[in-house]
Structure formats: C-alpha cells, structure tokens
Amino acid sequence: MTLQMRIYVPPHPLIKHWLGVARDAQTPPVLFKSAMTELGRWLTYEAVREWLPTIETTVQTPLADCPATFVNPEVPLVVVPILRAGLALLEGAQTVMPLASIYHLGLVRDEETLEPSCYLNKFPAQFKEQTRVLICDPMLATGGSIMAAMAELTSRGIDPALVRIISVVAAPPALQRLSVTYPGLNVYTATIDEGLNSHGYIVPGLGDAGDRAFGT
Ligand SMILES: O=P(O)(O)OC[C@H]1O[C@H](OP(=O)(O)OP(=O)(O)O)[C@H](O)[C@@H]1O
Ligand SMILES: O=c1cc[nH]c(=O)[nH]1
Ligand SMILES: [Mg+2]
C-alpha cells in the first residue's frame, strides 16, 4: 500500500468566516490576532479527530455505572508553534488541548533567498515514543520553514504519521514538498491558494501573518 499525504480543508462556516476576516487588508492587528486565535481553535478541533488517543473505562453517574471515554493521559501530546506567526494559532489550539506540552521553534525566512533560519529551538534531544505533535504555522508558502520544522522533529524521534499540521493558507509548493518527503502526514488548512508571487508571498493569501498578528 502506498501512503499519500492527506490535506483537509474543513468545510466549517466558522473557519470560512475567520479566514475572510484575516484576509481582509482592512482588518486591524487586534482583530487579525483574534481571527488567528479562532482559526487555531477550530482547525485544532478538526485536526485532533481520530488522532487524540483515548481510553475506555467506566464512571458512576449519580444513577448508575456507565461506560466512558477519556483522552489517554499516558500518551505525550505536543504542540509546536513556529514563531512568530504560529504563536497566534497557539492560543486557540491550547483551548482544545490544554494539557499538551508546548515546544517553541523560531524560524524566519531570509527576504532575498526565502531560506529559513532557526533562531530558537526548544526541542528535547529525543522525544518520547508515540508522541503526537501538532504543528501550528499559518502560512505554508515555499515550504522551506515547514520542511525545516519536520526535519528537526523527525531527527528527534517523531514519527511523521503522528504529526498533524494546522495552517491557515497553504500554497502548492509547500504541499508538494511535504507530500514527497512525508507521505504519512496530515495537513489541516483553511484554504489552498493559487501560488506565490515573485517575493514568495502567497496570492491571494493574507500578507505577512507575523507582522499583521503583532502589529509590526
Ligand atoms: O513556506 P515558507 O516560504 O518558509 O514561508 C512560511 C513562513 O513564513 C512566515 O514566517 P516568517 O519567516 O515571515 O516569520 P514570522 O512568522 O516571524 O513573520 C510564516 O509564518 C511561515 O513560517
Ligand atoms: O504569504 C506569506 C508567505 C510567507 N509568510 C507569510 O507570512 N505570508
Ligand atoms: Mg513574517
């Protein structure tokens, strides 16, 4: 059986709504940040389906014994925000997965070469077996940043099949690169846009997500 990367664009009215708010160039930074938080929340809600490990047990209701399903506290859950823009999605993701550990990764693209460089990596030398990772990065453009993040994770023992990526706007070059190297991966994005302009910005996109989220 050959694995193929799965890309989900959840047909959810709240995801469409907040994407529209984020795309609008008239949206001020404070509202843009709220839109990102909401997108982080709903994309995470969609992404954790059939991914969050559960255990079956019983509880006693006030009336009787009853079967119950809980999130398995034994399986490590990790969220990786790719700084800066990924921080804006993190707040929403944390409302869905409040107990997940957060491992920050700071990447920035060179404006000329579009190559990412890493200025902060809080990953452990090795992650525990079976660790599930949710990566938050709103923009997948050339794919340089997300490929760098995946390389850092897999070199520290993370199984790509246990990784889910949430993004807001994904472009074909990034999705192509991910799918070639990580066919077991699952990507959840609010939209797939047409392509990139000559400066590596996604078109129509939403501009520079980091600058808009932090008002810089
Ligand atoms: O697919 P790529 O071509 O690598 O582009 C995507 C990256 O660009 C943005 O980060 P940026 O470098 O602007 O840093 P910032 O989040 O601090 O603004 C964005 O948040 C992604 O991480
Ligand atoms: O369109 C883009 C591409 C990369 N990073 C952004 O923030 N926006
Ligand atoms: Mg930026």
Side-chain angles (χ1 to χ4, degrees), residues 136-157:
C136 301
D137 190 344
M139 311 304 283
L140 306 180
T142 65
S145 303
I146 194 68
M147 291 296 286
M150 285 299 299
E152 290 294 336
L153 286 167
T154 54
S155 71
R156 288 166 168 77

Side-chain angles (χ1 to χ4, degrees), residues 5 12 18 46 56-57 61 71 82 94 107 125 130-132 150 154 212:
M5 186 174 90
H12 196 300
W18 290 112
E46 293 283 349
E56 306 300 323
T57 181
T61 78
V71 175
I82 300 186
Q94 275 186 298
L107 299 176
Q130 292 303 309
T131 297
R132 278 138 169 89
M150 285 299 299
T154 54
R212 294 193 65 195

Side-chain angles (χ1 to χ4, degrees), residues 109 139 141 200-202 207-210:
R109 293 197 311 180
M139 311 304 283
Y201 279 87
I202 303 175
D208 189 301

